[in-house]
Amino acid sequence: NAGVTQTPKFRVLKTGQSMTLLCAQDMNHEYMYWYRQDPGMGLRLIHYSVGEGTTAKGEVPDGYNVSRLKKQNFLLGLESAAPSQTSVYFCASSPQSGGADTQYFGPGTRLTVL
Amino acid sequence: AQKITQTQPGMFVQEKEAVTLDCTYDTSDPSYGLFWYKQPSSGEMIFLIYQGSYDQQNATEGRYSLNFQKARKSANLVISASQLGDSAMYFCAQAGYSTLTFGKGTMLLVSP
């Protein structure tokens, strides 16, 4: 059972380039989340999805877009990368809402924008 | 808006001793959950323990227990008999209706 996987694990971009981070889960979870982690800041929610075809903004959504075309996948897009988006990105999923259900995290993607 | 405060940037403890990591939260939601996650140097986020706001007893999971004081809005993590492998970053998080809000974390170092 793979759980939550993220692709790629590492990436270096130049300012202005675009990329898509892929998150996949095989636990049939309804909810999926994208976070970023910066030093001294903890994890901050970028976007989340409460089911296939739905997305919602989190705490820091600017500069990112997401799509949930299939229940098992949640894509995070950067249309025009900026150095401020250098961070570690985590995807997570939970069976239902985060209220009482544990979120299970992927291994993270380390992104550097030069 | 929910707010989680972890006031200890770093903590030191000797092996086999107990340690308490502090967490306070601020919410007006009548129902909520509190989580603790561990992040070792390898980077993955590991779920440790969960406490529901209506749970009558403090949650326990092996060497981890959650000291939940609802009136004080605190949810401290207690690790008993610390081990070298407990050295990691620890995050407290509060669950609202659909999302988690994380604190900034406490770095725990366990010495031999």
Side-chain angles (χ1 to χ4, degrees):
Chain A
N1 209 358
V4 180
T5 58
Q6 293 182 231
T7 308
K9 289 185 169 54
F10 303 93
R11 185 72 185 267
V12 178
L13 289 178
K14 294 181 179 179
T15 297
Q17 288 185 320
S18 63
M19 78 163 295
T20 300
L21 280 68
L22 170 64
C23 176
Q25 53 94 4
D26 62 2
M27 297 175 283
N28 201 35
H29 285 174
E30 288 293 333
Y31 283 60
M32 297 186 74
Y33 310 82
W34 275 109
Y35 295 90
R36 61 178 288 172
Q37 183 178 24
D38 303 297
M41 296 295 294
L43 276 75
R44 293 182 292 169
L45 183 65
I46 304 171
H47 286 280
Y48 65 102
S49 168
V50 302
E52 181 178 318
T54 75
T55 63
K57 293 180 180 180
E59 180 186 354
V60 288
D62 294 343
Y64 305 95
N65 56 76
V66 288
S67 64
R68 183 106 180 262
L69 299 180
K70 294 183 178 180
K71 186 177 183 179
Q72 63 268 33
N73 295 337
F74 195 28
L75 278 63
L76 178 70
L78 286 73
E79 290 185 348
S80 179
S84 61
Q85 294 177 305
T86 293
S87 189
V88 179
Y89 292 85
F90 285 97
C91 177
S93 70
S94 68
Q96 295 179 16
S97 82
D101 283 321
T102 302
Q103 290 188 17
Y104 296 90
F105 284 80
T109 294
R110 186 173 295 275
L111 174 66
T112 301
V113 183
L114 302 176
Chain B
Q2 298 165 345
K3 184 178 179 181
I4 303 293
T5 303
Q6 294 182 252
T7 57
Q8 306 153 316
M11 289 285 287
F12 294 90
V13 67
Q14 279 202 310
E15 203 175 4
K16 300 180 184 178
E17 292 186 347
V19 62
T20 298
L21 305 184
D22 294 341
C23 172
T24 58
Y25 59 93
D26 185 13
T27 183
S28 56
D29 293 340
S31 177
Y32 51 89
L34 295 155
F35 294 82
W36 278 91
Y37 283 85
K38 172 184 178 181
Q39 187 178 43
S41 58
S42 52
E44 71 269 31
M45 295 289 289
I46 302 168
F47 164 72
L48 293 179
I49 196 167
Y50 165 80
Q51 178 85 43
S53 59
Y54 289 112
D55 292 343
Q56 295 296 315
Q57 293 188 329
N58 287 343
T60 60
E61 290 285 350
R63 295 185 298 111
Y64 304 108
S65 60
L66 203 153
N67 184 1
F68 180 47
Q69 298 186 46
K70 194 171 182 177
R72 297 181 61 185
K73 294 188 174 180
S74 73
N76 298 340
L77 177 71
V78 180
I79 305 175
S80 63
S82 298
Q83 301 173 356
L84 295 178
D86 293 335
S87 292
M89 197 76 171
Y90 289 80
F91 292 96
C92 179
Q94 184 199 340
Y97 179 70
S98 298
T99 62
L100 281 182
T101 301
F102 283 83
K104 294 184 178 181
T106 295
M107 174 65 75
L108 175 66
L109 291 178
V110 181
S111 61

